[in-house]
Amino acid sequence: MIHRVCNLYPKNFIGVCQLPQSPGVPPGNCIPELERCVNELGFVGCNLNPDPSGGYWKEPPLTDRWWYPLYEKMVELDVPAMVHVTATCNPAFHTTGSHYLNADTTAFMQFLTSDLFKDFPALKFVIPHGGGAVPFHWGRYRGMAQDMKRPPLKELLLNNVYFDTCVYHQPGIDLLAKVIPADNILFASEMVGAVKGIDPETGHYFDDTKRYVDGVSWLSAEDKRKIFEGNALKVYPRLSKQISRQAAAARA
Amino acid sequence: MIHRVCNLYPKNFIGVCQLPQSPGVPPGNCIPELERCVNELGFVGCNLNPDPSGGYWKEPPLTDRWWYPLYEKMVELDVPAMVHVTATCNPAFHTTGSHYLNADTTAFMQFLTSDLFKDFPALKFVIPHGGGAVPFHWGRYRGMAQDMKRPPLKELLLNNVYFDTCVYHQPGIDLLAKVIPADNILFASEMVGAVKGIDPETGHYFDDTKRYVDGVSWLSAEDKRKIFEGNALKVYPRLSKQISRQAAAARA
């Protein structure tokens, strides 16, 4: 289905794939599907669910060797993963209202406390929803890393971890752009996302995130170009190559 | 121990109690301890753990009738609860780095989707760590409430839910003060909290939160007075009464 949409609108869309994860099943089992999607369908990334149990968090942390076979394949294929859970089966959580954001925060802290990116310097993750609670608590994370004698966050994580802009109000995007370097922010919006309505305070759709990025007064034009375009080409190298191929074909 | 400290330093401290919660045990079992702490020891509030299973989230949501007997007693005694988890036993989470913040976000979303405060108009909760991910995603929550045909958040929750200031950098407190009404923010700091060190970017302790509140340029003196003092007296009526008694005793 995704492949079909991408073929119909090749200038608008490029695919990233879901992986056939199941609770308790080693993630290495997803490798054939990742290879198929990347090598046969031209997809440029994948989604990685840190909690296939759906709100019960039964899987080892993303930094456990349990996940390493999949990471080896991701690095070999040069594809990043978005870390994004699916629906929650646990009645304590609300899928889009708490489980999604909790998962973002959880994954970031797993990365902070591990040496995963020493083992995989080229591994890349995108954390959605602007990183869950992370930018709001950036001082907490800087301080905890320091207390744990970890390197500064920039050195420890920011060559490998990126944040998207799915935060649905101006003050949130302002904070994101203030504490997270522009090199680590990737533009994202949603089509049928968590919030569908119009913000009565602005008259615009809550999830029209481009307006918020445009509205950050202190970001330079170059920083905004990175957020809207440049960083995506850097984080998704196969997207960059595909665009070069399309351009060459158009010239020929 | 807490009672002893409060008696030694009555001008500095007043007690709130931990409750003897256990996974799967009805919260109503905590009522005798709550009564003892409030009526015999002069405590003015309690801590309520939404996840006594420690990271496995096996309890019904805080909005379930499972919790109602305790809420009835809280209202009768006129004491609020801070919603705060304890250590996590689940290796997916880090106690202070993700579990605490996730619990804050989880509780808020539970409140948003329920009619708990219709059943208990006088019930009050304080969510620590500035509300977890909530202020950063305030637009998301406003939008989700609207999509669900819930009342505006101010009407739905803000007579009952308060946020503390345990957010360890200026941009975080700036955001909190921008999106959450000053009437709903309670000053908090920590003594042996999640972060112990000095922020190299400022030269001050990360958890010296008074500086950040002082540093919000657009808050009026009256708003700051509410955050530092007025709101606590409002949310903890027994604190207010105790201070009046102390003042009367000093005059006598």
Side-chain angles (χ1 to χ4, degrees):
Chain A
M1 172 73 163
I2 294 167
H3 179 53
R4 189 163 173 232
V5 170
C6 295
N7 276 352
L8 285 170
Y9 302 97
K11 289 186 180 170
N12 299 85
F13 296 112
I14 196 156
V16 299
C17 65
Q18 187 67 273
L19 297 173
Q21 297 178 252
S22 265
V25 178
N29 285 30
C30 297
I31 290 175
E33 174 66 359
L34 180 63
E35 288 181 313
R36 183 181 80 92
C37 291
V38 173
N39 291 330
E40 296 177 29
L41 305 183
F43 285 18
V44 299
C46 62
N47 190 84
L48 188 64
N49 181 353
D51 173 29
S53 69
Y56 290 97
W57 292 93
K58 293 184 177 174
E59 238 63 9
L62 288 177
T63 51
D64 191 276
R65 283 170 180 272
W66 171 257
W67 304 89
Y68 274 27
L70 181 64
Y71 296 161
E72 287 167 7
K73 184 55 67 176
M74 284 169 55
V75 169
E76 181 195 318
L77 294 173
D78 210 6
V79 295
M82 170 165 278
V83 179
H84 200 306
V85 286
T86 57
T88 170
C89 310
N90 186 328
F93 303 126
H94 181 280
T95 295
T96 53
S98 54
H99 187 45
Y100 280 14
L101 306 176
N102 293 351
D104 306 338
T105 310
T106 299
F108 183 83
M109 193 62 195
Q110 291 175 354
F111 298 145
L112 191 157
T113 51
S114 87
D115 287 325
L116 177 62
F117 302 120
K118 276 193 186 159
D119 288 348
F120 294 99
L123 189 63
K124 288 187 169 59
F125 292 110
V126 180
I127 303 186
H129 323 105
V134 171
F136 182 47
H137 290 282
W138 195 240
R140 185 179 186 92
Y141 290 105
R142 288 196 293 109
M144 293 182 83
Q146 180 176 288
D147 284 355
M148 293 175 191
K149 317 288 185 206
R150 308 285 298 161
L153 295 184
K154 198 170 162 58
E155 184 184 323
L156 177 63
L157 297 176
L158 294 187
N159 292 315
N160 307 87
V161 175
Y162 299 83
F163 300 78
D164 85 3
T165 62
C166 281
V167 176
Y168 299 144
H169 61 154
Q170 189 68 51
I173 293 289
D174 285 347
L175 175 73
L176 178 72
K178 188 163 277 173
V179 301
I180 306 297
D183 285 331
N184 291 78
I185 302 173
L186 272 71
F187 176 72
S189 192
E190 292 201 84
M191 170 58 86
V192 192
V195 178
K196 292 162 199 71
I198 289 173
D199 186 346
E201 293 184 9
T202 67
H204 298 281
Y205 281 98
F206 277 105
D207 64 0
D208 184 359
T209 53
K210 179 171 184 296
R211 298 182 60 84
Y212 308 137
V213 178
D214 286 339
V216 181
S217 58
W218 66 85
L219 279 178
S220 68
E222 172 58 15
D223 281 345
K224 289 185 183 175
R225 199 198 57 76
K226 286 180 181 173
I227 292 171
F228 283 125
E229 180 182 340
N231 294 338
L233 296 174
K234 185 181 66 180
V235 175
Y236 295 82
R238 284 176 174 264
L239 169 62
S240 184
K241 283 177 197 159
Q242 171 110 343
I243 288 173
S244 301
R245 273 197 302 273
Q246 282 179 350
R251 280 193 304 272
Chain B
M1 173 72 162
I2 294 168
H3 179 52
R4 190 162 172 232
V5 171
C6 296
N7 277 351
L8 285 168
Y9 302 98
K11 287 185 180 170
N12 299 85
F13 296 111
I14 196 154
V16 298
C17 64
Q18 188 65 273
L19 298 173
Q21 298 178 254
S22 266
V25 178
N29 286 30
C30 297
I31 290 174
E33 174 66 359
L34 180 63
E35 288 182 314
R36 184 182 78 92
C37 291
V38 173
N39 290 330
E40 296 177 29
L41 305 183
F43 285 18
V44 300
C46 62
N47 190 84
L48 187 63
N49 181 354
D51 173 30
S53 69
Y56 290 97
W57 292 94
K58 293 183 177 174
E59 237 64 8
L62 288 177
T63 49
D64 191 277
R65 283 172 180 270
W66 171 258
W67 304 89
Y68 275 27
L70 181 63
Y71 296 160
E72 287 168 7
K73 185 54 68 174
M74 284 170 56
V75 170
E76 181 195 318
L77 293 172
D78 210 5
V79 294
M82 170 165 278
V83 178
H84 200 306
V85 286
T86 58
T88 169
C89 310
N90 186 329
F93 303 126
H94 181 279
T95 295
T96 53
S98 54
H99 187 45
Y100 280 15
L101 306 176
N102 293 351
D104 306 338
T105 310
T106 300
F108 182 83
M109 193 61 195
Q110 291 174 355
F111 297 146
L112 191 158
T113 49
S114 87
D115 287 326
L116 177 63
F117 301 120
K118 274 192 187 162
D119 287 348
F120 293 100
L123 188 63
K124 288 188 169 57
F125 293 109
V126 180
I127 303 186
H129 321 107
V134 171
F136 182 47
H137 290 282
W138 196 240
R140 186 180 186 90
Y141 291 105
R142 287 196 294 109
M144 294 182 82
Q146 180 175 290
D147 284 355
M148 293 175 192
K149 317 287 185 205
R150 308 285 297 161
L153 294 183
K154 197 170 163 59
E155 184 185 322
L156 177 65
L157 297 175
L158 294 186
N159 293 315
N160 307 87
V161 175
Y162 300 83
F163 299 79
D164 84 5
T165 63
C166 280
V167 176
Y168 298 145
H169 62 155
Q170 189 68 52
I173 294 289
D174 285 346
L175 175 73
L176 179 72
K178 187 163 279 173
V179 301
I180 306 297
D183 285 331
N184 291 78
I185 302 174
L186 271 70
F187 176 71
S189 191
E190 294 201 81
M191 170 58 86
V192 193
V195 177
K196 293 162 198 70
I198 289 173
D199 186 345
E201 294 183 9
T202 66
H204 298 282
Y205 283 97
F206 277 105
D207 64 0
D208 184 0
T209 52
K210 179 171 183 297
R211 298 181 58 84
Y212 308 137
V213 179
D214 286 339
V216 181
S217 57
W218 67 84
L219 279 178
S220 68
E222 171 58 16
D223 281 344
K224 289 184 183 174
R225 198 199 57 76
K226 285 180 182 174
I227 292 171
F228 283 125
E229 182 182 340
N231 294 339
L233 296 174
K234 184 181 65 179
V235 175
Y236 296 83
R238 284 175 175 265
L239 169 61
S240 183
K241 284 178 197 157
Q242 172 109 343
I243 288 173
S244 301
R245 274 196 301 272
Q246 282 180 350
R251 280 194 304 271

